[in-house]
Amino acid sequence: MVAPIATMSCRCGTVRGTLTGATPDSVNRAVCYCDDCQAFAHWLSRADLLDAHGGSDIVQFAPGAFTIDSGHDAIACVRLGPQGIFRFYATCCKTPVGNTVKPSIPFIGVPVQAFGQGAQEADRTFGRPAGRIMARFAIGQPPDASQGIGAWLMLRAVAKVLWWRLSGRSGPHPLMSRDTGEPLFSVTVLSRQERDSLRPLCGPHPTASAPAASTT
Ligand SMILES: [Zn+2]
Ligand SMILES: [Zn+2]
C-alpha cells in the first residue's frame, strides 16, 4: 500500500514540505491553549491561526516522515526564552513550519492549517484532535478541554514519540542536526522583555487585542 502523503505549505507557497504516511494512526493531533503557543502566533502576527479560545490545532509526527522540499532560505527559528522549544517558521509570510524540542525527542508539530486542507478533509487525514490541553490559558471556556496536559493524552503522545524513535523514524531530521542537536536554521531567542510584551495579547485574560492581521 502506498503511504498517504500530505503536503505542507506556508501561506505564500515559498516553503513547502511533504509528510509521508499521513494517517490518523501515525500522527498526534491536539489543540494547545498554552500561553507560549499563543505568544508565538502573536509574535508572528498570525493570530488568524488561533481558534476563538486562543487554541493552536497542532499535528505532530515523526521527523523522519517529513521533508522540506523548497524555501529552505526562508526558514528561521525562534525560542520564546533560553529554554524554549524550537519554533521554526517561514520568514516570507510568518507561517509556523515546525515546533520541536531536540532530536532525541523525535517529534515535529505543525499547525493543521499549514496542510491547506478544509476542516473535514483534515479530520479524515489526521483524525480529529485527540484532546484539548492547557485550557487554563484558554480565552473563555473551550469545550472538552483539560486544564493541564491530560494524563491520557500525555501517555498517548509519549507512546507515539517512543514508537517513532524505536522504529527508526527520528531522522533524517529536516530541522535539527542530529549530530550537534542544534537547529539547521538561524535562531532568535526572545529577551525576557520581548517575551513579556506578548503576554497582554494572550489568555486566559488578554488585556490587549492583536493588531489587524497582516496580509503579506
Ligand atoms: Zn511564505
Ligand atoms: Zn502550546
Side-chain angles (χ1 to χ4, degrees):
M1 197 184 112
V2 181
I5 277 176
T7 53
M8 186 221 61
S9 172
C10 68
R11 186 167 58 178
C12 78
T14 302
V15 179
R16 291 176 186 275
T18 304
L19 174 63
T20 305
T23 64
D25 283 345
S26 60
V27 305
N28 221 352
R29 181 180 176 192
V31 177
C32 185
Y33 297 101
C34 85
D35 57 341
D36 280 351
C37 288
Q38 292 186 52
F40 177 47
H42 287 296
W43 184 77
L44 293 171
S45 302
R46 289 302 307 272
D48 60 294
L49 293 172
L50 300 173
D51 70 20
H53 301 287
S56 299
D57 188 341
I58 304 287
V59 179
Q60 293 181 344
F61 42 79
F66 188 56
T67 54
I68 303 280
D69 307 320
S70 72
H72 294 83
D73 292 349
I75 296 177
C77 177
V78 65
R79 309 180 82 179
L80 298 180
Q83 307 301 321
I85 71 167
F86 296 95
R87 296 173 183 269
F88 296 84
Y89 64 97
T91 56
C92 39
C93 60
K94 305 289 169 76
T95 302
V97 297
N99 293 340
T100 197
V101 177
K102 53 182 176 180
S104 58
I105 306 178
F107 77 85
I108 293 174
V110 171
V112 72
Q113 294 98 323
F115 290 96
Q117 305 185 349
Q120 288 181 358
E121 190 186 355
D123 285 355
R124 274 198 302 274
T125 305
F126 303 113
R128 293 178 54 75
R132 298 170 178 274
I133 63 169
M134 303 299 281
R136 63 176 179 272
F137 297 105
I139 299 162
Q141 295 283 327
D144 304 329
S146 324
Q147 293 303 301
I149 301 176
W152 158 244
L153 196 69
M154 187 68 183
L155 210 70
R156 190 174 182 277
V158 168
K160 282 251 155 80
V161 171
L162 252 177
W163 169 242
W164 293 336
R165 196 171 151 159
L166 292 173
S167 61
R169 282 178 287 172
S170 302
H173 202 302
L175 302 171
M176 306 286 284
S177 163
R178 295 174 75 204
D179 295 331
T180 64
E182 295 296 317
L184 297 173
F185 302 92
S186 75
V187 182
T188 302
V189 181
L190 297 195
S191 66
R192 173 66 70 90
Q193 225 175 3
E194 289 169 317
R195 174 68 187 86
D196 285 345
S197 73
L198 297 164
R199 293 190 193 281
L201 295 163
C202 301
H205 303 296
T207 53
S209 55
S214 77
T215 49
T216 47

